[in-house]
Amino acid sequence: IGATYFRELYRQKAQGNNINLQSQQYVDNIADDLLNPTFTSFIARDLFAPEQKFSVGPYTYLRDRGYSFEMALNDNTQGVLNKRLKDYVADETAANIPLMFYHTVITRDGKMMIIGTQPLRFMMHPPLADSAQAAPIADAVDFTTFFARQDPYNLRILTALRMNATFPVVLPNVWLPSTPVIDVMDGGLRDNYGVETSLRFLSHMQDWITQNTSGVLMVQIRDRMDGGWENPYESDNMTGNAVKPFFLLQNNWYKLMDYFQSDMATYFVSNSGYPIHRVTFQYIPDKEENKAALNFHLSQREKRDITASLKSKHNQQGFSKVVELVKNPQSTVPAAGGGLPQAQHGPQTSH
C-alpha cells in the first residue's frame, strides 16, 4: 500500500505537480486510521443495514466493509489512489514509473493470482530447466488474461490493494467473476515477503539482465524478527493440547515460509551468473513488549517506534549500501546491512 502511494506521488511530481516526496504529510497520510471506518461499516452496514450498492464504470457492486476500507484509504491519501489499472498501462509500458505486481491467493487451490498492467503469463510457472523437461503445472494465474472478457483493466487500484491485504475476518474475501466463482485473500499466505515472485521474475529475465545490466539490487522491507523462541505457542489445558498441532502450524507458518524462501534465494544468488545484491530493512522495536501491532490503526507511540527503527545500525548500513550501489553499480559493497538482524530477545540463532 505504501509503495503504491509513493509511486503515485512520484508519478504526479514527474508530471509537473508541486510535490515534495519527503514531506511528513505523506507519512502521516499513509499511517492514518483504517481500522475504525472498516469496523464501523462491519457493524452498521454488513450486519444490520439493507443492501447498498456502488458503481465503478458500468459495473455495480455491493457495499461492505471492504468498500469502506477502500474509501477510508482513498480519503486518507487525498484521492490520489482513486485510479484504475488502465490508468497505469502507458506509464508502466514506457518505464516512466516502476512496474508493480499485486498478488493474492485463490482459496480454492492455493494458486497465486498476479495482477499487473503487463502480460504476465510467463510468471505462471517456474522456467523450464531444459527442453526435455516436462512442462511444470501452473501454480499462478495472470489476472488480466484469465478475465480478459470481464474488462480486467477496469479494476480499481484501491481494490487491488485491498485484495492483496485481505486479512481473515478483518476484510471480506473478494469474489471474482469466474465459473465456478473463486474468491481470493491475503497474498501473504503464499509469499509474504515477495521472494518467490521476485526470483521467478529474475529467472525468466536472466538472459536480458545479463546482456543489459550490471546486476540486480533486491530491496526487502520486513516487519518480523528472526527467532521467536521468546513467544512460542503454548497450552496448559487438555483442549489446548488437543488443537495444538493445528495452531502450532498456524503460529509458525511465516517462519516455515521464511526458511524455505531463504534457501531458494541462497541457491539462486549463488548460481545466477550475474551480481545480485540484497538489502533488507527491518522494523526493530526499541523494546519487544512495545512492538507495534499488525494493525490498521497505529498509536502515536507505535508510529514513533517505527520511525526510530530507521535509525538502527542495521537499517543505516542498508541505506549506505543502497546509495553506494546506485552511485557505483559495479561496486562490491560489503554485505553488512544486507543480511537479516538476529532477534534482540531470547536465544540467538545462526543463519
Side-chain angles (χ1 to χ4, degrees):
I1 292 174
T4 300
Y5 181 46
F6 187 83
R7 185 181 72 153
E8 175 55 28
L9 293 173
Y10 170 83
R11 176 174 176 257
Q12 293 194 7
K13 181 178 177 65
Q15 292 173 346
N17 292 304
N18 184 22
I19 291 178
N20 173 13
L21 294 176
Q22 280 70 47
S23 172
Q24 181 64 33
Q25 169 193 350
Y26 304 124
V27 177
D28 295 337
N29 289 349
I30 201 64
D32 209 352
D33 177 42
L34 293 170
L35 187 65
N36 286 326
T38 302
F39 268 91
T40 298
S41 172
F42 177 63
I43 300 299
R45 181 175 293 147
D46 294 24
L47 296 182
F48 299 112
E51 287 187 357
Q52 300 180 41
K53 298 183 179 181
F54 71 99
S55 298
V56 179
Y59 309 104
T60 302
Y61 308 93
L62 290 176
R63 291 174 182 255
D64 58 14
R65 65 189 183 280
Y67 175 77
S68 296
F69 172 88
E70 294 178 23
M71 296 313 297
L73 177 59
N74 185 54
D75 290 342
N76 291 353
T77 54
Q78 301 175 333
V80 302
L81 293 180
N82 193 15
K83 305 286 192 300
R84 286 180 277 181
L85 204 58
K86 65 178 71 174
D87 296 325
Y88 289 102
V89 173
D91 278 330
E92 287 196 2
T93 302
N96 294 328
I97 57 175
L99 180 65
M100 185 170 284
F101 297 164
Y102 305 96
H103 79 272
T104 64
V105 170
I106 301 172
T107 61
R108 176 175 288 261
D109 58 5
K111 284 186 172 68
M112 186 186 300
M113 178 167 285
I114 305 180
I115 302 170
T117 65
Q118 308 301 308
L120 298 176
R121 291 184 295 276
F122 69 93
M123 290 282 289
M124 299 305 97
H125 57 73
L128 297 175
D130 56 63
S131 58
Q133 182 179 339
I137 297 174
D139 61 0
V141 175
D142 176 9
F143 174 82
T144 55
T145 299
F146 192 72
F147 292 108
R149 298 181 181 179
Q150 282 79 24
D151 194 10
Y153 288 95
N154 189 65
L155 179 72
R156 295 205 313 171
I157 294 300
L158 291 163
T159 302
L161 290 169
R162 193 246 297 195
M163 291 166 66
N164 179 250
T166 303
F167 198 78
V169 181
V170 178
L171 293 172
N173 287 15
V174 178
W175 292 12
L176 298 175
S178 59
T179 303
V181 172
I182 58 174
D183 63 297
V184 296
M185 62 183 299
D186 196 325
L189 289 171
R190 170 75 181 266
D191 187 11
N192 196 49
Y193 297 115
V195 175
E196 180 182 352
T197 310
S198 299
L199 295 183
R200 181 168 298 188
F201 183 85
L202 294 177
S203 296
H204 283 287
M205 297 294 177
Q206 58 184 346
D207 290 342
W208 186 93
I209 292 171
T210 301
Q211 295 168 15
N212 295 278
T213 77
S214 57
V216 170
L217 170 61
M218 296 179 65
V219 177
Q220 188 179 65
I221 303 174
R222 299 172 61 96
D223 67 325
R224 297 168 187 255
M225 297 294 293
D226 263 5
W229 283 21
E230 67 279 6
N231 293 305
Y233 175 80
E234 295 180 333
S235 176
D236 56 1
N237 58 61
M238 184 176 297
T239 302
N241 285 327
V243 300
K244 184 173 181 177
F246 171 76
F247 286 106
L248 193 64
L249 176 62
Q250 182 186 46
N251 187 64
N252 289 324
W253 182 261
Y254 288 109
K255 295 174 190 154
L256 294 171
M257 183 191 305
D258 211 15
Y259 300 151
F260 173 68
Q261 293 189 345
S262 179
D263 260 0
M264 288 174 57
T266 300
Y267 286 126
F268 185 86
V269 170
S270 300
N271 297 281
S272 63
Y274 52 82
I276 297 181
H277 303 276
R278 291 189 291 171
V279 179
T280 298
F281 294 98
Q282 170 77 61
Y283 167 45
I284 305 172
D286 178 46
K287 296 180 180 179
E288 186 65 24
E289 60 269 23
N290 293 333
K291 182 178 181 180
L294 181 62
N295 202 328
F296 286 131
H297 178 96
L298 296 175
S299 68
Q300 289 302 317
R301 180 190 56 76
E302 290 173 326
K303 292 178 184 179
R304 288 194 297 269
D305 192 52
I306 292 171
T307 302
S309 182
L310 292 173
K311 298 179 181 179
S312 71
K313 180 180 178 181
H314 171 82
N315 289 330
Q316 287 298 308
Q317 288 175 336
F319 283 123
S320 297
K321 182 174 181 179
V322 170
V323 170
E324 176 61 27
L325 287 169
V326 170
K327 288 181 177 179
N328 180 16
Q330 304 293 342
S331 173
T332 55
V333 183
L340 301 182
Q342 298 293 332
Q344 302 300 301
H345 307 276
Q348 301 293 293
T349 56
S350 61
H351 58 284

